[in-house]
Amino acid sequence: MPLLAVRDLTIALPVGGRMVTIIDSVSFTLGAREILGIVGESGSGKSMTALALMGLIDAPGARITGSARFKGRELVGLPQRAFRDLRGREIAMIFQDPMTAFTPVYTVGWQIDEQIRAHGRVTRKDARARTIRLLGDMGVPDPARVADRYPHQLSGGLRQRAMIAMALSCNPSLLIADEPTTALDVTVQAQILDLLRRLRREYGSSVLLITHDMGVVAETCDRTMVLYSGIIAERGPTGAVFARPGHPYTAALLDSIPPLHGARPARLPSIPGSPPAPADRPAGCPFTPRCAYAHDACAVRPPLLPRGVQDIACVLPAEGRDLPARCATV
Amino acid sequence: MTAPLIEAQSLRMEYRVGRGQVLRALDGVSLAVRPGEVLGLVGESGCGKSTLGRCLLRLARPTAGRVVFDGTDITALPERTLRPLRQGMQMVFQDSYASLNPRRRIGDLIAEPLRVHRDGQGRRRTAADIAARLAELMDLVGLPQAALARYPHEFSGGQRQRINIARALALSPRLVVADEPVSALDVSIQAQIVNLFMDLRDRLGLTYVFVAHDLAVVRQISTRVAVMYLGAIVELGDADTVLHRPAHPYTAALIAAVPEPVVLPDGDRAPPLRGDVPSPIAPPPGCRFHTRCPSAQDRCRTDPPALRDPGDGRQVACHFPLTGG
């Protein structure tokens, strides 16, 4: 049994008097010790998916349907009281901005102690010892001293490490990381990505990594799921998705990243237009208006179908017109 | 060699941050940008790249050193004398929404510089002149004419950045300083705007100073690159030379840290640089980078290296520059 099995998760929010679908029938599984990347542009629904799994969508009138089973337990429709028990202990989340995860008026160590004590009978002294050990594990230099500091006294990289320490304080089996490195400088980002890879090895955690950065996904995730406009465009093992993208959106997204090595293209291949607002999504494949391969068959929403090791929501594979493989540069 | 369009000479910028402490955002920065060049300024937060961009346009007044624009020393020019020169230098910012007054129509926003400044003959521009120029600008940045009558919130981030570029170009500047102009955009939109910057340079013969933290974007657009660390330039040279064969260990570490959209086996990844950027209030003695440098030696801890040419036309501030690469 996978750790997490999401099936047809659909989220609709009331906008201007009618229900607008934000996430449409998203299904995926996450195994033990696996890192799954959810990648997409702003508005693709990647953060909404995470918030739904944490029971954190509190918009009035929101309608969440489908199923999300975590260790066999249904999360959709779970009462808040039960969620509170799960959050922090079983499922933890880290965010882009650690300043919002910590309250500014207590020391970082106090807040991690509190989290440990809220979920188990632990003395203050034992909690602090565990906090210091965790901070040390996260690569924080001089963890005892850092524990006595307030969030604003730490650098961005240290705050992010402290937040990951807090998230891991109760040994959650699932860690949801929403753009955990977006606000960091590249050299610090590289350290945090290294840390996430280590977590899986040393803590056995499964990680759901949400990001807009294809590079971050390539470096950390075992499997990748590409969201576009609230639907899964493509998913599969990361190596395969990057080497042989099956959905024109994945391919175009990869092409539009300027290369760091090799020849500089005279012009960057770009995707025309911008993603549709949730209320204005076209009836068929939502990528049609921006797709170089759009044709009549795209007027009907293509189902997510297996193609080799990937699953692709596009009519091209069925028509025998696979996209060309990308040559891996470096 | 043509004369530089903009030049910084030993610029220093200091901010008092209380308790007698001084933050040295720029610590003796010199560089020159020639007409038609695109200089990419890269570095991590706090390295001084944005401060340098602002000093070049005299949006900030440096504590010491000189800024020379098109042969005129603008370091200490009073605002009145500076104003006519400002037509020749414009800026594009990262936050496309904050840069536009939400209560004014796009047409008004772009027309403002045309109303404030007089035309080449010293005359006020007529309404017809302005309307014609607005139409031209919309074509230039790839927006429909109808956009002029709409408000900033009606546009996506990429379109808003096009509007900001149109406004920056309204007075036909020669120099544009762009501070992280694409970093808030989604990748697919980012490529459109990078292409637009490159097209505009070709069509209008613009000179750019392009401030960005994304090395791949900088490589795509720049002819030359300056890498900054804690208020100083550590490496400066031809974009291909610096980014393909970095001589400074910091440049090499920055390049290695970029997550690339290519899947590599775990062992093939270089170990990340350790630690954080030290505080610019108390930068380390000697070479500023020695606390994080994988190849630091005793000399680096005491003796600050000066920028010098290792023999291939670039400048590098390192006692033990990398070779081969």
Side-chain angles (χ1 to χ4, degrees), chain A residues 1-4 29-36 71 173-174 200 203-207 222-223:
Chain A
M1 184 177 66
L3 182 72
L4 176 70
T29 60
L30 179 67
R33 289 177 176 258
E34 190 176 31
I35 305 184
L36 171 68
K71 290 185 166 174
S173 16
L174 171 60
R200 176 244 306 266
Y203 282 71
S205 320
S206 301
V207 183
D222 307 308
R223 284 191 306 134

Side-chain angles (χ1 to χ4, degrees), chain A residues 140-202:
Chain A
V140 171
D142 201 354
R145 206 170 60 93
V146 168
D148 281 332
R149 306 218 130 202
Y150 290 89
H152 74 270
Q153 296 175 306
L154 304 179
S155 69
L158 279 185
R159 271 203 296 265
Q160 205 67 4
R161 286 171 196 272
M163 181 165 65
I164 297 176
M166 181 156 78
L168 294 177
S169 60
C170 296
N171 274 324
S173 16
L174 171 60
L175 179 67
I176 302 179
D178 190 357
E179 302 273 10
T181 59
T182 307
L184 303 176
D185 280 317
V186 277
T187 59
V188 180
Q189 165 169 286
Q191 297 165 4
I192 299 293
L193 295 182
D194 204 46
L195 177 61
L196 285 177
R197 285 190 293 262
R198 237 184 51 211
L199 288 182
R200 176 244 306 266
R201 279 202 308 272
E202 292 169 15

Side-chain angles (χ1 to χ4, degrees), chain A residues 41-42 155 157-158 185-191 193-194 197 201 212-216 218-219 238-239 242 253-254 256-274 290 328-330, chain B residues 43-45 156 186-192 194-195 198-199 213 215-223 239-240 243-244 250 253-264 266 269 272-277 292:
Chain A
E41 297 181 275
S42 24
S155 69
L158 279 185
D185 280 317
V186 277
T187 59
V188 180
Q189 165 169 286
Q191 297 165 4
L193 295 182
D194 204 46
R197 285 190 293 262
R201 279 202 308 272
H212 70 284
D213 189 329
M214 296 297 262
V216 167
E219 293 219 340
T238 304
F242 280 71
L253 202 57
L254 286 170
S256 58
I257 303 169
L260 193 57
H261 299 280
R264 278 197 253 189
R267 284 182 75 76
L268 287 174
S270 62
I271 308 179
S274 43
R290 306 176 73 195
T329 49
V330 158
Chain B
E44 297 180 277
S45 12
S156 66
D186 277 319
V187 203
S188 74
I189 312 295
Q190 179 175 301
Q192 295 173 12
V194 168
N195 285 339
M198 294 175 75
D199 291 344
H213 69 281
L215 289 184
V217 166
V218 165
R219 184 179 94 109
Q220 177 64 22
I221 198 164
S222 308
T223 53
D240 286 319
L243 296 176
H244 287 179
Y250 178 61
L254 265 187
I255 295 169
V258 176
E260 286 190 87
V262 176
V263 179
L264 295 174
D266 255 9
R269 234 174 259 117
L273 205 56
R274 300 179 48 173
D276 283 329
V277 180
R292 304 173 78 197

Side-chain angles (χ1 to χ4, degrees), chain B residues 55-70:
Chain B
C55 284
L56 290 178
L57 294 188
R58 256 293 306 273
L59 294 175
R61 201 164 168 165
T63 315
R66 295 203 321 151
V67 180
V68 179
F69 175 69
D70 201 13

